[in-house]
Amino acid sequence: QVRLVESGGGLVQAGGSLKLSCACAASTTYYIGAMGWYRQAPGKQRELVATITLDWKTNYSDSVKGRFTISRDNAKDTIYLQMNNLKPEDTAVYYCNAAVRLSGRPYQDYWGQGTQVTVSS
């Protein structure tokens, strides 16, 4: 019933930039809490990249601080991840995450399908 649709991944050279988007939609009334981006590189566990609360408080992993910026548009139920000065070690599948509450139910975690980001050296 809840869908997170990501876009914006691709191939970029080291030092370049990409901007990811994640839009939330559902077939019924819903409420969104915190949202965030996670990534998973081949052979590694999924790790947090950045999160943002409803009132725009942000949190970043040390590896992306100063290079990535997370933002959200509450009117569009969408978050963004602006990635600058990309490095080969940023190569991964990036997943959108959102805490969503359907009417009458508690908050649950939802995940997008993932978008590939590849940074060449």
Side-chain angles (χ1 to χ4, degrees):
Q1 282 181 304
V2 176
R3 290 186 304 124
L4 298 177
V5 181
E6 299 131 333
S7 60
L11 173 64
V12 65
Q13 286 189 329
S17 298
L18 282 174
K19 186 173 183 177
L20 306 182
S21 300
C22 171
C24 181
S27 56
T28 184
T29 302
Y30 64 97
Y31 307 90
I32 301 181
M35 299 181 75
W37 291 97
Y38 292 72
R39 66 186 182 187
Q40 187 166 18
K44 294 189 176 181
Q45 288 190 331
R46 191 173 296 188
E47 63 175 4
L48 179 145
V49 175
T51 60
I52 186 166
T53 64
L54 261 179
D55 56 352
W56 297 284
K57 290 190 179 76
T58 59
N59 179 52
Y60 296 92
S61 71
D62 288 342
S63 61
V64 307
K65 271 181 191 173
R67 300 187 298 123
F68 291 11
T69 302
I70 189 170
S71 60
R72 71 188 287 166
D73 183 337
N74 288 338
K76 295 180 180 179
D77 291 340
T78 298
I79 61 168
Y80 307 93
L81 185 69
Q82 176 66 48
M83 305 184 291
N84 297 328
N85 190 21
L86 282 159
K87 304 176 181 180
E89 51 264 43
D90 294 318
T91 296
V93 177
Y94 284 69
Y95 295 93
C96 175
N97 171 270
V100 180
R101 181 172 70 85
L102 300 178
S103 182
R105 298 186 182 181
Y107 276 98
Q108 269 185 266
D109 262 352
Y110 290 87
W111 294 90
Q113 79 284 359
T115 185
Q116 177 71 46
V117 171
T118 303
V119 184
S120 63
S121 56

